[in-house]
Amino acid sequence: MSLAIKVNDLSMAYADGIEVLRCFTHSFEAGSFTAIVGPSGCGKSSLLRILSGLQSPSSGKIETKPDTSIGYVFQEPTLLAWRTVYENVALPLKIKGLNQQLIHTRVVDALALVGLADRQHALPRELSGGMKMRVSLARALAQNPDVLFMDEPFGALDELTRLKLDDELLDIWRRQKCTILFVTHTVSEATYLAERVLVMSSNGTLKDDIKIEGNTRNEAFRASTAFHEARLTITKSLEHNEEAI
Ligand SMILES: Nc1ncnc2c1ncn2[C@@H]1O[C@H](COP(=O)(O)OP(=O)(O)OP(=O)(O)O)[C@@H](O)[C@H]1O
Ligand SMILES: [Mg+2]
């Protein structure tokens, strides 16, 4: 088993003394899909920011493979309004100093992966919410990420668009073989997408690590007993959380 990220005894307290992560320990296998759920404010976004290197922890250890490249998708698409789809996806690669030809190949490939090959000259205001999120995903994929961090990426979208994007994301994950850490508030989305669901408690500890059985993800899986039982287990774990507050 090869590990993408090994986290040991991670804790985080902000300057005002708010503790958001406590003794968080977990190993993320390379190529795995992990969903992270937990009550609002328990530290999910803080965890992703720390694991991706955007923020330093107060204590604890994070080990990653050398030269791990990362992609980050936020809840908001965070696109530059005055730049085209192509330019939005290309910008981080330009900042990295990649050569023009490589940038072009990466951008075209990423836009094809998210089904937006024909919209590269559009401006963000000409796109639907789902399309903007696809651009944001393409921008992360263009980094050729070994690890893709996703913080409630589809939370603001309507149900049907979200279900469609969930399936598209699974397709991309299988093809790209990257490691995905996916924060969501939607238990059914976590159950459908992930191989493991981590449940965090309101005090910032890792409460449960729930394995989701089965490899196929389709309508039949959504209707299966395995899906419903897993969803119930996660919901119960979250509910007990609430009782403990
Ligand atoms: N930069 C910061 N400075 C101080 N406190 C912060 C900062 N960022 C987050 N917090 C606090 O840390 C706690 C956890 O925040 P975080 O955003 O990680 O939670 P979350 O689990 O992602 O919540 P949500 O589900 O609502 O997105 C909250 O109480 C928040 O107010
Ligand atoms: Mg958050």
Side-chain angles (χ1 to χ4, degrees):
M1 180 179 81
S2 147
L3 293 182
I5 311 177
K6 191 164 181 251
V7 190
N8 197 19
D9 221 8
L10 199 69
S11 293
M12 175 71 200
Y14 286 105
D16 49 11
I18 296 180
E19 267 199 309
V20 293
L21 289 173
R22 278 173 223 236
C23 313
F24 189 102
T25 297
H26 187 73
S27 293
F28 296 89
E29 234 179 278
S32 60
F33 197 132
T34 309
I36 300 162
V37 298
S40 184
C42 73
K44 303 178 296 296
S45 297
S46 301
L47 177 68
L48 286 203
R49 285 199 298 271
I50 292 168
L51 297 186
S52 63
L54 289 176
Q55 195 176 316
S56 301
S58 306
S59 62
K61 199 168 165 197
I62 302 161
E63 290 172 61
T64 51
K65 284 185 185 169
D67 303 321
T68 295
S69 66
I70 66 151
Y72 211 115
V73 182
F74 300 91
Q75 179 166 5
E76 298 297 324
T78 60
L79 304 177
L80 298 175
W82 61 93
R83 302 236 181 177
T84 63
V85 164
Y86 184 99
E87 289 164 347
N88 265 285
V89 177
L91 188 62
L93 305 177
K94 280 189 188 156
I95 292 169
K96 262 190 175 175
L98 300 192
N99 77 54
Q100 203 62 40
Q101 187 51 47
L102 184 58
I103 291 176
H104 183 70
T105 311
R106 293 260 198 105
V107 174
V108 169
D109 287 353
L111 286 173
L113 270 173
V114 301
L116 283 179
D118 56 345
R119 300 309 301 269
Q120 35 179 296
H121 303 299
L123 287 167
R125 66 166 177 270
E126 297 164 337
L127 304 177
S128 69
M131 284 172 173
K132 283 185 203 154
M133 217 52 236
R134 285 196 179 95
V135 179
S136 173
L137 179 56
R139 184 177 52 192
L141 291 170
Q143 307 281 331
N144 269 356
D146 299 307
V147 184
L148 184 55
F149 295 94
M150 307 186 78
D151 194 353
E152 297 188 53
F154 310 143
L157 304 175
D158 68 89
E159 171 94 1
L160 280 181
T161 309
R162 186 159 53 75
L163 294 181
K164 195 163 184 301
L165 280 172
D166 283 348
D167 278 327
E168 288 177 15
L169 177 64
L170 282 176
D171 256 6
I172 290 169
W173 169 61
R174 287 190 193 108
R175 277 193 261 170
Q176 305 294 99
K177 300 183 170 46
C178 52
T179 308
I180 297 185
L181 275 68
F182 189 101
V183 169
T184 178
H185 273 290
T186 312
V187 173
S188 55
E189 186 178 41
T191 314
Y192 185 72
L193 288 176
E195 297 170 300
R196 311 196 83 93
V197 177
L198 305 185
V199 182
M200 288 178 64
S201 56
S202 46
N203 66 3
T205 54
L206 174 56
K207 182 166 187 277
D208 276 318
D209 172 2
I210 297 161
K211 190 173 186 313
I212 313 293
E213 301 298 337
N215 300 320
T216 46
R217 295 291 187 262
N218 49 27
E219 278 315 305
F221 175 66
R222 248 188 247 284
S224 70
T225 315
F227 175 82
H228 288 289
E229 280 179 355
R231 205 180 53 162
L232 207 63
T233 308
I234 298 163
T235 305
K236 274 194 184 140
S237 176
L238 282 167
E239 279 168 5
H240 289 154
N241 222 329
E242 296 299 316
E243 282 164 18
I245 295 174

